[in-house]
Amino acid sequence: MAIEISEKTIKHEFIEKINELSGQDIYKCFQCGTCGGACPMSGQMEILPRKIMRMLQLGMAQSISELETGWECASCHSCSVNCPRGIDLARVMEAVRLLILRKNINKIEPSRLPEDVVRELPQIALVAGFRKLTS
Ligand code: SF4
Ligand code: SF4
């Protein structure tokens, strides 16, 4: 019984953290799927944004941290402007990434980027990538 309460607390804290970081209320999502239909990256995503929202509502922190979906999000805000519940899903995706980055886990290691990639990419793309993918 004690373990069950502890797990509930952890889930609650995770959901509160996502809401705090994103400034959104993930419980407002009613699973309509409009976000996935508007998302230009949905064809490449491991799971659709609607499912991420459901997993967040269920407090599935570990499973979400193992998915690529948060990183595959292009932060284009198409989902946000189309959500009938007014949820800024792009900010929720950012919160998902932040929770991982705040554990000092980088998605990419700048020092390991191949020289030709660093030479050829526009500086602004590198800076934007580092801001999104490193802690
Ligand atoms: S569009 Fe909004 S309400 Fe609909 S599934 Fe996506 S986040 Fe939830
Ligand atoms: S912000 Fe991310 S999840 Fe939303 S539509 Fe753009 S790529 Fe898709």
Side-chain angles (χ1 to χ4, degrees):
M1 190 65 176
I3 291 172
E4 194 183 329
I5 292 168
S6 174
E7 281 180 2
K8 274 186 188 169
T9 304
I10 290 168
K11 283 182 180 182
H12 178 73
E13 284 177 0
F14 168 71
I15 292 164
E16 287 297 302
K17 198 72 192 166
I18 289 287
N19 280 343
E20 182 192 323
L21 285 171
S22 67
Q24 308 302 302
D25 177 1
I26 59 170
Y27 286 119
K28 282 169 68 181
C29 172
F30 60 1
Q31 292 288 291
C32 67
T34 304
C35 45
C39 175
M41 297 301 291
S42 61
Q44 280 74 44
M45 283 182 170
E46 199 171 1
I47 65 166
L48 292 174
R50 173 185 66 79
K51 289 187 180 175
I52 286 278
M53 291 300 287
R54 188 63 188 137
M55 290 170 77
L56 287 169
Q57 289 172 337
L58 296 171
M60 297 170 69
Q62 184 60 35
S63 304
I64 289 170
S65 70
E66 290 166 2
L67 290 170
E68 290 294 315
T69 305
W71 307 108
E72 289 158 345
C73 166
S75 307
C76 70
H77 291 265
S78 175
C79 51
S80 306
V81 298
N82 283 289
C83 175
R85 298 287 285 159
I87 300 167
D88 192 339
L89 182 51
R91 291 188 65 190
V92 176
M93 289 289 198
E94 186 180 12
V96 168
R97 293 192 295 270
L98 276 177
L99 277 186
I100 297 168
L101 294 173
R102 284 184 174 193
K103 294 176 187 164
N104 281 333
I105 302 170
N106 286 342
K107 184 61 180 168
I108 59 162
E109 285 302 330
S111 62
R112 293 197 194 142
L113 284 177
E115 263 183 45
D116 56 330
V117 170
V118 175
R119 209 170 26 244
E120 285 171 24
L121 274 181
Q123 280 192 349
I124 195 166
L126 281 172
V127 172
F130 293 158
R131 286 182 65 184
K132 178 180 175 183
L133 303 169
T134 63
S135 57

